[in-house]
Amino acid sequence: MTSTEPAGVANTAANPPVRIIDTTLRDGSHAVSHNFTVQQVTDISKALDKAGVPIIEVTHGDGLAGSSFNYGFSAVRDIDLVAAAAEAVTNAKIAVLLLPGLGTVNDLHEARAAGAGMARVATHSTEADVSVQHFRAARDLGMETAGFLMLSHRTEPAQLAKQARIMADAGCQCVYVVDSAGALLPHGVRNRVDALVQELGDDAMVGFHGHQNLSMGVANSVEAYRAGARSIDGTLRALGAGAGNTPTEVLVTVLDAMGIATGVDVEAALAAAEEVLAPIVTRMPVMDRSSIVQGRYGVYNSFLLHAERAADRYGVPAYQILRRVGEAGYVGGQEDMIIDVAIELAGLQRQAAEHNERVPA
Amino acid sequence: MDHRPRPIAAIVGPGNIGTDLLIKLQRSGTLDVRYMIGVDPASDGLRRARELGVEASAGGVDWLLDQDILPDVVFEATSAKAHEANAPRYREAGIAAVDLTPAAVGPFVCPAVNLDEHLDAGGGTTSNINMITCGGQATIPIVAAVSRVTPVPYAEIVASISSRSAGPGTRANIDEFTETTSHALQSVGGATRGKAIIILNPVEPPMVMRDTVFAAIGPDADREAITESIHRMVAEVQQYVPGYQLKSEPQFDDPRPDWDGNGRVAVFLEVTGNGDYLPPWAGNLDIMTAAAARAGEQLALAWAATNEKEQVTTK
C-alpha cells in the first residue's frame, strides 16, 4: 500500500518494526461462545498465515482447559483446534494461552505435542508469581513465551513493572500490558508500557493487548508502540470478548500509514477480515451500553456474554450486573460471581417491588 | 465415663496454619497438645506456641521422636517434601498423622464426607490421612451431598481466595491445587469426572473465601431431594466450620444439549474464618485447620483406643 504519510513523520528506517500477534482464534472465541469448528480454524489460520501474520493464538477464550461450566464448553477440544491450525499454516507459529489455576503444565505438554510453538501465560496483574512454573515448563519444552498481566488498569505502573520482572525472571520473553476491560486511556497505556520497558531493558520485550470498550484499541496500540511496545495483539474485525479487540486489519493499516514495518501484507489482512472472517461470524461485538460500562468500570471483558445470560435467567439488566461486578473488584476467571450478583440483584428488585405494593401511592 | 487420658498431639510446622490449628485444638480440649516443632530457633511461631503453654522446639522431627512421651497424633503443617520424609518415621514410631500438605501419602479425608471410613475399628484405623486442599474441603461436601441423591457425571468447582491468603508454596505450585482437588472431587465427592479452578483476588479489603460448585445432574433428577441433601450437608460442615454458609438457595438449570443433555445444580458458598489466629477473610486457611482439627481429634481417639487394645492383647 502506498504511504500517504504527512511530512514530518519519521521514515521506516527510523521506526523499529513491531510484531503482530493475531488472537481471533483465542480472544475471538469468547464472541462465538467457544464454538469454533475445525474448518473455521483452518480457514482463518490459512488467511492469517497468507497475510504474513507471524503468530496466531488458538485456544478456548479462557485458555487451555477453559472448556467448563464456568466459562462455557468448547464445541471442539482446544488441542484439536491447535492441531488444525498448526496443520493449516506454513510460516506462522501457533500460540496457546494458559491461565494458572485453570490450565496446568500437563495441558502445555499436550498443546506442544499438537504443534503449539508459543505459550502465553496470563495472570491477574498483581499475581505474576503463580506463572513461574508454567514459564519454566514452556521453556523446557522449547516454546517461545509471553506473559499477560491482565486487568493492567488496576495496577499502578511501578507495581506492574515489578510483576513483569517476576515473569521475565521465570523465562518470559515478552510481557504484555493487557487492557482486559478496555479501560485504559492513552496516558495510562504510555505510563505502564514505559515502566515495563525501563524495568525489563533487554531482558524481555514489552507487548500491548487492547480492547475497544472506549473505542481506544488502535489509538492505545499506537501509544504503546511509541512508548516502546514491540509486540501488539489484534483480532480480525475486532472479534473478541466484550466490545472486541484492537482490529488487526485496522492496526496494520495504521502502522503502514505511519511507516512502521509489521511484516503483514495489508491487502491480505483486509481480505482475511472481509472475505474469510465476516462470512463465518454472524454476531460481531459492538460498543453497546453493557460493554461501555465494562470499559468505564474496568470489568473483565469476557464477562459480557455471561452477564447477558444471567440477565435473561434472573430478569435483571446486564449492565447493572456488570457495574456491580466492577464495584466488587472481581477479576478474570470469576465468572461464577456473575450468577451470584444476578441472584442478589434479583432479590433486591423483588424486595423493592414488594415494598412498593405495600406502600400506597 | 471414659477415664483414659486425653490423646497427646504434636504440631509440626509453626507457621500461620500451625498456630491457628493450635488455638483451635486448645479450645476444643479433646487433645493434649504437648509439642510444637520447627527448625528455626528464631521462629515467631515457636515463641507464640510457648506463650500458649506448649513445649516448643526448633530441633525438628528428630527432637520430637527423641522424647520419652511420644504423641499419639502429629499434625503436619510443613511442606509436601517434608511430610514425605517424615511420614515413614511417624508410622514406625506408632504415631498417626494428619497431613495438611499436598503430599497425599495417605487417603484424602473430608470430615463431613468420609472420616468415618478411616476410623472404622473393624477395618483398622488409617494411620495417615490427607486433608486435600482448602477448595476441596469447601466444595467436596456439596458434591457428595448431590451424588448421594443422584449420579453426578461431572462436578466443577471454582475457589476464589484473597491474594493475601495464598502463601508462596501455593503460588509456586498452583497446578497441585487443581490436580489434587479434581481427583478428590471424584474419589471423595463421588463425581465421575472432576475439575477444579482457583482464582486469587487482590482486592482490598481482602475478600472472604468464595466457592462455587457446579454439578451436572440427569434431566429427571429430584431437585427437592438434592436441595434438602445440600442443606443437611451444610449443617454438618458448620459443626466444625461455623463460618461455612450458602449465599443463596441451590440454583437449578434445565438440561442443555451442550451439557450432554444434562441439567445442572449450582451452589454458591462463602467461608468466613473463625478469626482464631488468621483473619476472618482467610476462610480458605480456616477451613483447612478446622477440618484437620476435627479429623485429628477423631483419629487420635480411635488410634489411641486401638493402640491400647493391642497393648492389652500383647500383654
Side-chain angles (χ1 to χ4, degrees), chain A:
Chain A
M1 205 173 250
T2 44
S3 174
T4 51
E5 199 55 43
V9 173
N11 63 25
T12 311
N15 290 335
V18 58
R19 176 177 75 180
I20 302 298
I21 298 186
D22 185 278
T23 179
T24 306
L25 295 172
R26 198 282 301 168
D27 216 333
S29 173
H30 288 294
V32 299
S33 298
H34 317 292
N35 280 325
F36 277 130
T37 65
V38 167
Q39 189 61 52
Q40 290 168 342
V41 166
T42 301
D43 293 347
I44 294 166
S45 301
K46 272 193 179 149
L48 289 167
D49 186 47
K50 202 173 146 199
V53 173
I55 299 172
I56 301 169
E57 190 173 52
V58 183
T59 334
H60 182 286
D62 294 272
L64 294 169
S67 181
S68 58
F69 273 129
N70 203 30
Y71 308 118
F73 289 99
S74 305
V76 180
R77 285 188 343 134
D78 275 337
I79 297 302
D80 298 340
L81 296 181
V82 168
E87 181 72 20
V89 298
T90 38
N91 295 313
K93 189 179 269 188
I94 305 303
V96 291
L97 183 76
L98 184 147
L99 276 68
L102 173 60
T104 63
V105 167
N106 280 337
D107 297 314
L108 214 48
H109 280 262
E110 272 195 307
R112 180 62 170 148
M118 184 181 202
R120 303 214 297 175
V121 184
T123 74
H124 182 71
S125 53
T126 53
E127 312 298 317
D129 55 359
V130 297
S131 66
V132 172
Q133 70 178 137
H134 308 89
F135 281 122
R136 293 206 175 121
R139 293 296 293 274
D140 287 346
L141 285 165
M143 300 174 89
E144 190 176 347
T145 53
F148 261 38
L149 292 169
M150 297 191 290
L151 291 172
S152 275
H153 75 278
R154 276 175 55 177
T155 304
E156 291 307 310
Q159 184 57 31
L160 199 65
K162 284 187 191 151
Q163 296 289 311
R165 169 52 63 190
I166 294 171
M167 286 186 163
D169 286 351
C172 173
Q173 295 164 300
C174 175
V175 185
Y176 269 74
V177 172
V178 178
D179 187 16
S180 317
L184 282 174
L185 300 177
H187 67 94
V189 173
R190 166 165 288 277
N191 294 343
R192 285 169 176 77
V193 170
D194 186 54
L196 264 62
V197 169
Q198 297 296 322
E199 171 62 40
L200 299 176
D202 294 332
D203 297 342
M205 289 167 78
V206 175
F208 178 73
H209 174 104
H211 277 274
Q212 287 288 70
N213 302 66
L214 302 178
S215 199
M216 289 288 170
V218 175
N220 278 347
S221 298
V222 168
E223 193 68 13
Y225 173 82
R226 286 187 168 139
R230 294 294 175 263
S231 185
I232 297 185
D233 283 9
T235 65
L236 293 173
R237 287 177 74 93
L239 190 76
N245 294 54
T246 306
T248 301
E249 69 278 14
V250 183
L251 177 66
V252 296
T253 303
V254 168
L255 293 169
D256 182 59
M258 292 173 69
I260 298 161
T262 63
V264 178
D265 177 338
V266 173
E267 304 276 5
L270 292 176
E274 192 88 4
E275 291 159 24
V276 180
L277 189 78
I280 290 176
V281 177
T282 47
R283 186 202 158 170
M284 298 306 300
V286 286
M287 287 174 268
D288 56 8
R289 173 160 63 180
S290 289
S291 65
I292 296 165
V293 164
Q294 285 185 291
R296 184 65 185 87
Y297 292 93
V299 182
Y300 197 67
N301 259 324
S302 49
F303 286 3
L304 178 64
L305 297 189
H306 296 275
E308 288 179 358
R309 271 191 289 274
D312 272 353
R313 167 89 156 75
Y314 293 101
V316 285
Y319 76 94
Q320 284 185 12
I321 299 175
L322 290 165
R323 187 170 167 164
R324 174 80 195 96
V325 162
E327 287 164 352
Y330 292 131
V331 299
Q334 293 191 281
E335 270 77 345
D336 54 324
M337 290 298 109
I338 292 169
I339 306 175
D340 187 71
V341 164
I343 295 169
E344 184 193 324
L345 290 177
L348 292 174
Q349 204 167 271
R350 215 169 25 246
Q351 273 173 22
E354 282 162 13
H355 179 77
N356 288 343
E357 271 168 29
R358 281 198 307 271
V359 181

Side-chain angles (χ1 to χ4, degrees), chain B residues 16-25 27 100 111 131 133-135 137-138 161-162 165-166 208-209 211 237-245 270-295:
Chain B
N16 294 341
I17 295 269
T19 305
D20 194 78
L21 183 61
L22 173 58
I23 294 171
K24 283 183 168 62
L25 290 172
R27 184 172 51 232
L100 287 87
M131 300 315 297
T133 60
C134 60
Q137 289 298 340
I161 64 173
S162 72
S165 67
V208 169
M209 184 198 202
D211 296 275
V237 178
Q238 280 169 344
Q239 292 193 3
Y240 57 96
V241 190
Y244 184 82
Q245 57 170 338
E270 186 173 82
V271 185
T272 310
N274 214 33
D276 291 326
Y277 179 66
L278 304 159
W281 42 260
N284 51 317
L285 304 178
D286 185 82
I287 199 167
M288 278 299 266
T289 53
R294 170 79 157 200

